[in-house]
Amino acid sequence: REAWVRPGGTTFYFINDGPERALELARESAGSRDIRIAGGADVIQQYLTMGVIEELEIALSPVLLGGGRRLFENLREPGPRFRIDKVLDGPAATHLRYVRL
């Protein structure tokens, strides 16, 4: 898939080589800057299992869509090593910011 350039200059690149390769390329591109990983539960679980996530932001919206995935389920660690750092509650969503212990 071609790169997706957003207004303001942010560019999203898509690869099929797995999360380790994606992180390697992101680190090369970012240099000393932070890296953001976006995706659903499957994507986030891969990086949680790799132990490379330092901060995690989740937006919870009160919408019932049927099924879903538990974000902290099926991880290699016995339990997530995060604490809630900040909660921002709004009418459309609750935003949770977790930081690694």
Side-chain angles (χ1 to χ4, degrees):
R1 181 173 175 181
E2 293 296 316
W4 182 34
V5 181
R6 303 292 302 145
T10 300
T11 304
F12 293 87
Y13 297 95
F14 302 88
I15 68 163
N16 294 318
D17 298 331
E20 293 88 358
R21 180 68 177 141
L23 183 59
E24 179 184 331
L25 292 170
R27 284 179 171 154
E28 288 174 10
S29 179
S32 63
R33 296 173 295 178
D34 290 340
I35 297 168
R36 288 192 159 217
I37 300 167
D42 289 334
V43 171
I44 301 306
Q45 283 177 348
Q46 291 176 56
Y47 289 97
L48 285 170
T49 296
M50 290 169 57
V52 296
I53 303 229
E54 297 296 324
E55 298 177 4
L56 180 65
E57 294 184 14
I58 301 172
L60 300 174
S61 184
V63 176
L64 183 60
L65 299 174
R69 295 286 311 264
R70 293 178 183 225
L71 188 58
F72 295 113
E73 197 170 67
N74 302 318
L75 302 177
R76 287 187 195 147
E77 293 183 6
R81 305 283 193 248
F82 292 88
R83 68 172 172 79
I84 294 177
D85 179 60
K86 185 177 182 181
V87 176
L88 179 60
D89 188 26
T94 298
H95 299 266
L96 302 167
R97 180 175 184 264
Y98 292 84
V99 294
R100 183 171 285 283
L101 296 174

